[in-house]
């Protein structure tokens, strides 16, 4: 340090460092504050004044031409850099960021760097030793966090330190010793430190005489002694081309601070650090009080006596372990032993809510933002949807205008890759299409995705429309297009539907794979269902869906021939989905009940058979039933490759039986044929699985089916039985527990297909013993007992 420059070496996001920085700035009173960070943010640092910018927040820098290339610099209330920023802007001092500009690390050729920082402009980033871990190891600690707590966090600024710089001098001396051994240095640090030295020289040339430099403690030795200007210029001459960048403030969360990957900061306990920074004196009693309040809110029996005992235990553990004060380790040990009574489940709740926390920062409207972000903010306020870091369930009734608008907004954001809301299962059991349930949780990285999505439009609706059209033109799978159509309807993107439907029609006309057609139809039919409640026009959708269904009816039976076990299982799922979709397609494709009537009403559009709309749906159901019958008859006469797998044939028979298009007599005949000795046992076992999937109650209602199955099962040869046993066990394991028990009881009762034998009397009734139980039974039932006359006579 020199007379005009104070180097305040800090630990990023360390509350002890933050308190030390606050004390040093108050005592030393600089006339300029230089902070490690991207210089592009100099123009928006003034937004930290006042109460509009509430930490945790982060600086977001991204390349203008490619917003996906972005970097964050997060700050919490306990971050030393944030303390320095607030000190400078509140006193109207020059506040400058002096790290290497973000534009050098966001170019197309830059490698990814450390989390929250731009890539290395000089060489690929590699593993660098943690200086604090090295110092902790030298001091005999196995945990750098615990060493830092003992040395820094539990030490208050001393009154005998007039300028508040003594702690920083000690840290600088330790870092100088590490760097003298060549530990932790990298090419990237050399470039950054050269740029920082240039900025310190620039501050001196500007006439500042007391300059406070807040930077990572590791950089202090390199900034304490300035080499020649030519030396630093030579280092910086090898920097790559600087790309044009935009920078702004975005909200951040404590939970994201706790992550060491992605855009996290690797702070394991941000909630605890926040409490340490904001609490004067011993932080343990107040923190344990908060833990007790949290546990009581979750119905855990915690009293004030628990809190007192937990405080005593935490302090005693600190003494036994030779620590100056109880740290997080001792406090959590006390919480587990006393407040949670040894329960790790309750302790995990405390860790999640208090040690980490769900704090979400706020950014003022004056902060720079892309138009898409401003439009999203406007919709959030209009619809009263406040972004929150904690997960929140939201139930919507689409018959209400506000809820319908909320649904459209969430679906549009999902189309843009902003999964603020994720569809969830509602606690209210409802099969109606007017209800939706969502799980909302705002993530800081959504700011990057919004900036990236700004290429599609300046409003949420415009951007979602552009993204939908672009996705449709790039799609190669039919199912992807039908899913996109469904999303467009859910999102209310009427402007995107014509373009998407044209691409869908072209793709459907060219695709001949029945599996693709079957995978695409259910999404289209769901879109037709949603169209009813959302008031959308689904005439074109109905035509495409009907055309797909007709092609499936024609191509399904031959497409099922020769499938292996895996392919048959996949096709069975599509078979069930198409069956349900065709069942819904008729009602969904018909005109609305309140459609225009009278002599001026438009005529119903004729279907492929020349009939009107409802007849088309009925004809489609008949054609689908014919396709299922054809599939059921495709026996493997010349081997497995010549027919459809038993799994699909049995499933087709069951679907026909459930729809009433096949009577139980014919179903029994088909089962008898499949279970004959001429059929392979493995194929018969597959047929049974397909037939019984979805419920085995029909075996109870028709004893003939159960008898046929029992006769076949007892006649399977022993060498084949072990091969079909896993398939049969899987089939019967899928039946309802009550059905399995009843089937087992009937099989054990005697020959199947006959009436159960009458139970023979086991003895005479002892009326005296029965009468003695009447008062007890009456008491249990809450009724007045009626004493038989014979018993009353005996009592008298």
């Amino acid at each position: 340090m020199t007379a005009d420059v104070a180097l305040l070496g800090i630990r990023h996001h360390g509350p002890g460092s933050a308190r030390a920085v606050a004390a040093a700035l108050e005592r030393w009173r600089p006339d300029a504050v230089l902070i490690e960070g991207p210089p592009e943010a100099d123009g928006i640092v003034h937004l930290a004044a006042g109460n509009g910018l509430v930490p945790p927040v982060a600086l977001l820098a991204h390349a203008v031409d490619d917003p996906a290339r972005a970097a964050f610099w997060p700050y919490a209330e306990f971050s030393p850099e944030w303390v320095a920023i607030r000190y400078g802007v509140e006193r109207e001092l020059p506040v400058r960021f002096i790290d290497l500009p973000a534009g050098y690390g966001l170019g197309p050729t830059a490698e990814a760097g450390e989390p929250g920082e731009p890539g290395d402009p000089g060489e690929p980033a590699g593993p660098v030793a943690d200086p604090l871990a090295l110092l902790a190891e030298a001091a005999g600690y196995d945990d750098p966090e615990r060493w830092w707590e003992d040395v820094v966090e539990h030490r208050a600024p001393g009154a005998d330190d007039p300028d508040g710089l003594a702690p920083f001098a000690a840290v600088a001396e330790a870092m100088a010793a590490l760097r003298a051994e060549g530990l932790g240095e990298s090419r990237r640090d050399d470039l950054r430190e050269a740029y920082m030295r240039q900025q310190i020289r620039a501050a001196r040339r500007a006439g500042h005489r007391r300059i406070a430099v807040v930077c990572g403690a590791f950089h202090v030795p390199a900034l304490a002694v300035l080499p020649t200007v030519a030396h630093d210029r030579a280092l910086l001459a090898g920097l790559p081309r600087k790309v044009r960048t935009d920078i702004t403030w975005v909200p951040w969360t404590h939970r994201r601070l706790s992550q060491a990957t992605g855009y996290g900061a690797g702070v394991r306990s941000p909630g605890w650090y926040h409490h340490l920074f904001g609490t004067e004196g011993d932080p343990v009693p107040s923190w344990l009080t908060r833990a007790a309040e949290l546990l009581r809110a979750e119905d855990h029996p915690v009293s004030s006596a628990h809190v007192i005992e937990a405080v005593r235990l935490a302090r005693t553990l600190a003494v036994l372990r030779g620590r100056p004060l109880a740290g997080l380790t001792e406090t959590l040990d006390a919480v587990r032993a006393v407040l949670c009574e040894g329960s790790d489940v309750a302790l995990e709740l405390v860790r999640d809510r208090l040690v980490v926390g769900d704090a979400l920062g706020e950014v003022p409207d004056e902060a720079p933002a892309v138009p898409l972000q401003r439009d999203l903010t406007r919709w959030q306020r209009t619809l009263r949807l406040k972004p929150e870091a904690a997960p929140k369930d939201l139930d919507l009734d689409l018959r209400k205008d506000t809820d319908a608008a909320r649904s459209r907004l969430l679906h549009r954001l999902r189309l843009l890759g902003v999964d603020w809301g994720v569809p969830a299962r509602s606690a209210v059991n409802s099969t109606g299409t007017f209800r939706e349930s969502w799980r909302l949780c705002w993530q800081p990285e959504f700011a990057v995705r919004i900036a990236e999505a700004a290429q599609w439009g300046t409003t949420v609706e415009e951007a979602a429309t552009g993204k939908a059209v672009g996705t449709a033109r790039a799609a190669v799978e039919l199912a992807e297009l039908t899913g996109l159509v469904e999303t467009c309807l859910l999102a209310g993107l009427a402007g995107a539907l014509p373009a998407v439907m044209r691409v869908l029609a072209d793709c459907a006309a060219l695709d001949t794979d029945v599996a693709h057609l079957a995978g695409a139809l259910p999404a289209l039919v769901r879109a037709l269902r949603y169209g009813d409640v959302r008031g959308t026009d689904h005439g074109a959708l109905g035509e495409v869906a009907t055309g797909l269904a007709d092609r499936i009816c024609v191509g399904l039976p031959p497409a099922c021939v020769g499938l292996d076990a895996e392919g048959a299982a996949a096709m069975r799922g599509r078979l069930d989905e198409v069956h349900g979709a065709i069942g819904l397609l008729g009602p969904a494709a018909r005109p609305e009940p309140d459609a225009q009537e009278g002599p001026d009403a438009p005529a119903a559009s004729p279907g492929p058979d020349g009939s009107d709309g409802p007849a088309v749906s009925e004809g489609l159901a008949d054609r689908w039933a014919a396709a299922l019958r054809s599939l059921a008859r495709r026996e493997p006469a010349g081997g497995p490759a010549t027919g459809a797998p038993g799994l699909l044939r049995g499933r087709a028979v069951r679907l026909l039986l459930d729809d009433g298009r096949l009577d139980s007599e014919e179903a029994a005949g088909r089962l008898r044929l499949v279970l004959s000795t001429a059929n392979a046992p493995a194929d018969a076992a597959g047929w049974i699985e397909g037939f019984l999937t979805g419920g085995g109650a029909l075996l109870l209602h028709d004893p003939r089916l159960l008898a046929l199955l029992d006769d076949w099962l007892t006649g399977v040869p022993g060498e084949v039985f072990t091969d079909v046993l896993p398939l049969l066990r899987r089939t019967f394991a899928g039946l309802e527990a009550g059905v399995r028990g009843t089937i087992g009881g009937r099989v054990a009762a005697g020959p199947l297909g006959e009436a159960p034998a009458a139970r023979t009397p086991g003895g005479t009734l002892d009326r005296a013993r029965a009468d003695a139980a009447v008062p007890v039974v009456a008491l249990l039932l809450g009724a007045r007992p009626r004493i038989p006359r014979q018993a009353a006579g005996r009592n008298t």
Side-chain angles (χ1 to χ4, degrees):
M1 298 186 188
T2 62
D4 61 342
V5 177
L7 299 176
L8 308 183
I10 51 96
R11 183 194 186 191
H12 302 296
H13 312 295
S17 290
R19 286 195 300 268
V21 166
L25 293 177
E26 285 292 342
R27 297 177 185 180
W28 201 66
R29 296 192 177 279
D31 60 3
V33 180
L34 306 183
I35 302 171
E36 178 185 334
E40 292 93 337
D42 288 348
I44 59 174
V45 70
H46 67 278
L47 296 176
N51 299 320
L53 194 61
V54 181
V57 291
L59 288 169
L60 163 62
H62 63 83
V64 174
D65 297 333
D66 186 6
R69 300 191 65 86
F72 289 91
W73 287 261
Y75 302 113
E77 187 176 358
F78 51 81
S79 299
E81 299 94 331
W82 178 256
V83 171
I85 290 173
R86 291 282 295 181
Y87 177 89
V89 297
E90 287 176 355
R91 291 160 180 78
E92 299 183 353
L93 300 177
V95 179
R96 299 288 182 265
F97 291 97
I98 62 172
D99 204 347
L100 202 63
Y104 287 119
L106 297 178
T109 60
E111 299 290 338
E114 294 296 323
E117 298 177 352
D120 183 356
E123 63 182 10
V128 179
D130 181 9
L132 294 183
L134 296 174
L135 291 174
E137 183 180 359
Y141 284 75
D142 57 356
D143 184 3
E145 292 286 338
R146 189 159 55 91
W147 174 80
W148 183 260
E149 277 191 345
D150 290 350
V151 174
V152 178
E153 304 299 341
H154 295 161
R155 307 290 184 184
D160 56 348
D161 184 11
D163 54 8
L165 301 180
F168 301 104
V171 173
E173 182 180 358
M175 292 300 170
L178 287 178
R179 299 196 65 152
E181 299 294 331
L183 299 176
E185 295 185 1
S186 67
R187 164 73 173 168
R188 180 168 181 261
D189 286 329
D190 292 340
L191 292 172
R192 296 174 61 199
E193 290 160 357
Y195 193 88
M196 292 181 194
R197 289 192 292 265
Q198 293 282 54
Q199 299 307 304
I200 294 175
R201 295 187 184 102
R204 281 175 168 172
R205 290 195 300 269
H208 298 296
R209 293 294 175 261
R210 296 177 68 84
I211 305 170
V213 179
V214 180
C215 63
F218 185 76
H219 303 300
V220 170
L223 304 182
V225 179
L226 301 182
T228 63
V229 175
H231 174 272
D232 288 341
R233 286 178 177 174
L235 276 176
L236 297 175
L239 287 172
R241 183 177 62 87
K242 183 180 178 181
V243 301
R244 193 160 59 94
T245 60
D246 282 341
I247 195 166
T248 187
W249 291 102
V250 295
W252 207 249
T253 66
H254 277 176
R255 192 170 302 281
R256 185 61 64 189
L257 278 172
S258 68
Q259 297 183 1
T261 58
Y263 291 120
V267 181
R268 292 188 295 183
S269 50
W272 169 257
Y273 277 3
H274 180 82
H275 181 77
L276 284 182
F277 182 72
T279 304
E280 296 291 338
D282 188 357
V284 174
S286 56
W287 195 84
L288 287 174
T289 301
R290 292 177 56 200
E293 292 174 352
L294 170 64
L295 292 172
R296 280 198 294 267
E298 298 294 333
D299 296 329
H300 292 273
V302 180
S303 66
S304 56
H306 286 84
V307 177
I308 295 172
E309 188 59 34
V311 172
R312 290 175 179 171
L313 178 58
R315 291 172 176 171
T316 302
L317 289 174
V319 173
L320 292 174
R321 295 169 181 175
R323 307 193 66 183
L325 288 174
L328 179 60
T329 303
E330 288 74 28
T331 305
L332 288 180
D333 287 345
V335 169
R336 177 193 283 112
V338 181
L339 302 187
C340 301
E341 298 180 345
S343 171
D344 287 335
V345 175
L347 178 65
E348 194 59 34
L349 176 66
V350 175
R351 287 184 185 274
D352 183 69
R353 301 281 185 85
L354 297 183
V355 178
V356 177
D358 289 313
L360 176 65
E362 298 179 8
V363 174
D365 295 336
E366 296 78 17
V370 295
L372 178 60
Q373 176 65 65
R374 297 195 181 280
D375 184 64
L376 173 58
T377 302
R378 180 179 64 84
W379 276 110
Q380 289 171 338
R381 292 174 178 172
T382 300
L383 301 177
R384 299 186 298 277
L385 285 176
K386 183 180 179 181
E388 296 179 356
K392 174 185 176 182
D393 292 330
L394 178 67
D395 289 325
L396 300 179
D397 186 344
L398 301 182
R399 295 170 296 185
K400 300 178 180 178
D401 293 340
T402 300
D403 283 358
R406 289 173 173 173
S407 173
R408 288 192 294 269
L409 176 64
L410 294 174
H411 281 293
R412 290 170 181 175
L413 291 177
R414 281 178 58 81
L415 185 58
L416 294 174
V418 181
D419 293 331
W420 176 24
V422 178
R425 184 172 182 177
S426 174
V428 180
N429 292 325
S430 174
T431 58
T433 58
F434 62 83
R435 183 176 296 278
E436 277 186 353
S437 296
W438 296 83
R439 171 65 62 88
L440 304 182
C441 184
W442 186 264
Q443 302 293 340
E445 59 267 26
F446 290 161
V448 175
R449 299 179 187 174
I450 292 172
E452 189 176 4
Q455 62 179 307
W456 300 105
T458 57
T459 66
V460 176
E461 181 178 3
E462 181 182 342
T465 299
K467 179 67 178 296
V469 174
T471 303
R473 291 172 178 170
V476 295
E477 296 289 341
L478 186 60
E480 183 181 358
L481 284 170
T482 55
L484 183 61
V485 170
E486 181 182 13
T487 302
C488 288
L489 283 175
L490 297 176
L493 300 178
L497 271 177
V500 176
M501 288 300 302
R502 284 195 297 271
V503 178
L504 173 62
D506 294 341
C507 186
L510 297 175
D511 200 330
T512 58
D513 191 326
V514 174
H516 292 171
L517 300 178
L521 181 63
L524 275 183
V525 175
R526 286 196 303 269
L528 288 171
R529 279 190 81 197
Y530 278 110
D532 294 335
V533 69
R534 294 170 186 269
T536 54
D537 180 14
H538 45 59
L541 280 179
E543 294 178 4
V544 175
T546 303
L548 286 179
D550 285 335
R551 294 174 61 190
I552 293 172
C553 292
V554 173
L556 177 67
C560 295
V561 174
L563 293 177
D564 58 9
E566 183 177 355
M571 185 61 78
R572 187 194 68 178
R574 296 190 183 98
L575 191 67
D576 289 341
E577 292 178 353
V578 170
H579 184 75
I582 290 179
L584 295 173
L585 184 58
R590 294 174 187 174
E592 297 294 330
D594 56 350
Q596 183 180 356
E597 296 181 0
D600 298 331
S605 56
D609 56 357
S611 57
D612 56 14
V616 169
S617 63
E618 295 171 1
L620 176 60
D622 292 337
R623 291 192 293 275
W624 174 245
L628 292 177
R629 287 181 178 274
S630 175
L631 175 60
R633 290 193 297 266
R634 289 185 178 263
E635 306 285 344
T642 62
L647 178 68
L648 299 179
R649 303 197 323 273
R651 193 62 191 150
V653 172
R654 177 61 184 272
L655 294 177
L656 290 170
L657 180 63
D658 290 345
D659 278 357
R661 295 180 177 270
L662 195 71
D663 57 27
S664 59
E665 184 70 28
E666 186 176 353
R670 291 184 179 275
L671 178 60
R672 187 179 298 107
L673 177 64
V674 168
L675 300 182
S676 64
T677 56
N679 214 20
D683 183 74
W687 198 99
I688 293 170
E689 180 183 7
F691 185 70
L692 296 182
T693 298
L698 57 88
L699 295 178
L700 304 179
H701 299 312
D702 193 340
R704 294 172 302 170
L705 298 179
L706 183 57
L708 288 172
L709 183 60
D710 182 63
D711 291 341
W712 170 80
L713 188 59
T714 55
V716 173
E719 62 274 10
V720 181
F721 183 77
T722 55
D723 295 333
V724 301
L725 180 60
L727 186 59
L728 293 173
R729 290 186 62 181
R730 184 177 64 191
T731 300
F732 282 91
L735 303 181
E736 302 87 343
V739 172
R740 291 200 306 268
T742 306
I743 290 176
R746 289 195 178 178
V747 172
L752 298 174
E754 302 177 359
R759 178 174 298 178
T760 57
T764 58
L765 175 64
D766 188 340
R767 301 191 62 86
R769 298 179 64 184
D771 292 342
V774 170
V776 178
V777 175
L779 180 62
L780 293 175
L781 297 177
R784 167 180 280 182
R786 295 181 60 189
I787 302 176
R789 294 182 179 180
Q790 296 178 356
R794 288 195 297 269
N795 292 335
T796 56

